[in-house]
């Protein structure tokens, strides 16, 4: 019974997904405005901000001394 | 690196990507967002971007992005390899940028003291190291410090830029 329900849910998902994929702007807006992805982004920024410079990629820039 | 990847589509802005995972549960759409890290008072992260990704989930006909860890589609290595390929695509178009990857700590990861998604990212990097290291430069963050990426070392955070 639950396998049937899961399969039905997946079929509904895939049908809706097909509809969604027709609208590329909507797809991009969902990704860009995702609270989950933006939260992950803030976490990464916070994590990196705790690490003190110099950063290795700065050291490699020509004409800069650290 | 292209051997076992999904095809992906890039948005017109070059910062959003989408691909479809096909596994034991069927098709699941994955969204990837690459965002510049904000200029912080401590340091202007002008050229550092973060890569995040998740599943398209449909709730009451409304689409949101949620954590891929719960999808259980049985194809995470292929998903990770695709995300790594997307990162390479972004860096090829933006050669002066540095891209940061950060995984997550689920219960199992915390128990083993390891970031599961990073383990998979590193597996994808390590198994393609000969090819990748010719074009890209990798750094790892371990205990709050950067170091040159070394195959076989586990990192909390991985950063990559073009050579």
């Amino acid at each position: 019974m639950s396998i049937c329900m899961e399969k039905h849910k997946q079929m509904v998902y895939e049908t809706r997904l097909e509809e969604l994929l027709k609208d590329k702007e909507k797809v991009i807006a969902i990704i860009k405005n995702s609270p989950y992805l933006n939260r992950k982004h803030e976490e990464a920024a916070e994590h990196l901000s705790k690490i003190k410079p110099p950063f290795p990629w700065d050291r490699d820039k020509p004409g800069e001394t650290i | 690196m292209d051997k076992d990847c999904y095809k992906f589509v890039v948005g017109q802005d070059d910062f959003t990507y989408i691909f479809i995972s096909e596994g034991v549960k069927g098709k699941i759409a994955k969204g990837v967002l690459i965002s510049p890290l904000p200029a912080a008072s401590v340091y202007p992260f002008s050229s550092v971007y973060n890569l995040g990704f998740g599943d398209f989930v449909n709730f009451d006909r409304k689409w949101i992005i949620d954590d891929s860890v719960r999808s259980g589609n049985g194809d995470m290595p292929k998903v990770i390899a695709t995300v790594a390929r997307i990162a390479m695509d972004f860096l090829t178009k933006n050669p002066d940028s540095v891209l940061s990857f950060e995984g997550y700590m689920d219960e199992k990861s915390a128990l083993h003291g390891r970031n599961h998604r990073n383990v998979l990212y590193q597996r994808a990097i390590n198994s393609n190291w000969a090819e990748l290291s010719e074009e890209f430069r990798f750094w790892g963050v371990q205990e709050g410090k950067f170091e040159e990426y070394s195959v076989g070392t586990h990192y909390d955070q991985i950063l990559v830029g073009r050579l």
Side-chain angles (χ1 to χ4, degrees):
Chain A
M1 185 68 181
S2 69
I3 293 173
C4 269
M5 278 178 70
E6 281 296 318
K7 275 193 175 174
H8 176 72
K9 268 171 72 178
Q10 185 60 29
M11 271 175 63
V12 171
Y13 174 87
E14 288 183 14
T15 307
R16 289 181 183 168
L17 182 62
E18 263 180 47
E19 280 171 34
L20 172 72
L21 294 177
K22 287 175 191 162
D23 190 344
K24 283 186 182 161
E25 279 183 22
K26 194 175 174 186
V27 170
I28 290 173
I30 291 165
I31 298 173
K32 274 193 163 174
N33 302 320
S34 159
Y36 169 74
L37 290 178
N38 285 304
R39 195 173 65 243
K40 285 278 151 200
H41 168 66
E42 281 165 22
E43 282 171 14
E46 197 187 322
H47 205 154
L48 271 184
S49 70
K50 286 177 188 160
I51 304 169
K52 289 192 175 115
F55 297 119
W57 49 89
D58 288 333
R59 230 175 279 145
D60 299 338
K61 280 183 189 167
E64 284 185 24
T65 46
I66 296 170
Chain B
M1 199 75 193
D2 286 326
K3 283 175 284 192
D4 205 18
C5 287
Y6 290 112
K7 281 184 182 168
F8 56 82
V9 176
V10 56
Q12 284 183 335
D13 58 354
D14 283 343
F15 291 102
T16 49
Y17 292 79
I18 184 169
F19 63 95
I20 312 288
S21 135
E22 288 185 52
V24 290
K25 290 188 175 177
K27 292 180 179 174
I28 297 173
K30 309 267 183 188
V32 178
L33 178 64
I34 296 174
S35 318
L37 292 179
S41 55
V42 218
Y43 180 78
F45 291 119
S46 55
S47 60
V48 184
Y49 292 78
N50 181 62
L51 182 151
F53 79 96
D55 288 355
F56 275 80
V57 178
N58 194 259
F59 280 125
D60 295 332
R61 293 194 159 265
K62 201 182 165 201
W63 289 97
I64 60 156
I65 306 261
D66 200 8
D67 197 336
S68 278
V69 70
R70 297 189 192 100
S71 57
N73 214 13
D75 61 344
M76 196 50 113
K78 192 168 177 177
V79 167
I80 292 290
T82 309
V83 173
R85 186 67 255 173
I86 287 171
M88 303 310 137
D89 179 78
F90 177 80
L91 287 170
T92 302
K93 291 173 183 163
N94 302 275
D96 295 327
S97 305
V98 171
L99 202 50
S100 157
F101 292 80
E102 198 171 4
Y104 61 90
M105 291 288 273
D106 60 7
E107 282 176 27
K108 192 178 161 192
S109 313
L111 197 66
H112 294 93
R114 283 193 165 195
N115 181 321
H116 184 58
R117 200 178 272 177
N118 271 1
V119 170
L120 293 173
Y121 282 139
Q122 287 196 236
R123 206 173 285 165
I125 294 166
N126 296 351
S127 58
N128 294 282
W129 183 249
E131 180 194 344
L132 290 174
S133 58
E134 279 184 16
E135 275 188 76
F136 301 96
R137 190 160 182 195
F138 292 82
W139 301 276
V141 178
Q142 203 181 33
E143 292 170 7
K145 284 180 185 167
F146 283 106
E147 59 180 58
E148 286 283 335
Y149 188 92
S150 162
V151 172
T153 307
H154 174 71
Y155 297 106
D156 303 323
Q157 196 158 9
I158 304 153
L159 293 104
V160 56
R162 276 194 79 91
L163 273 175

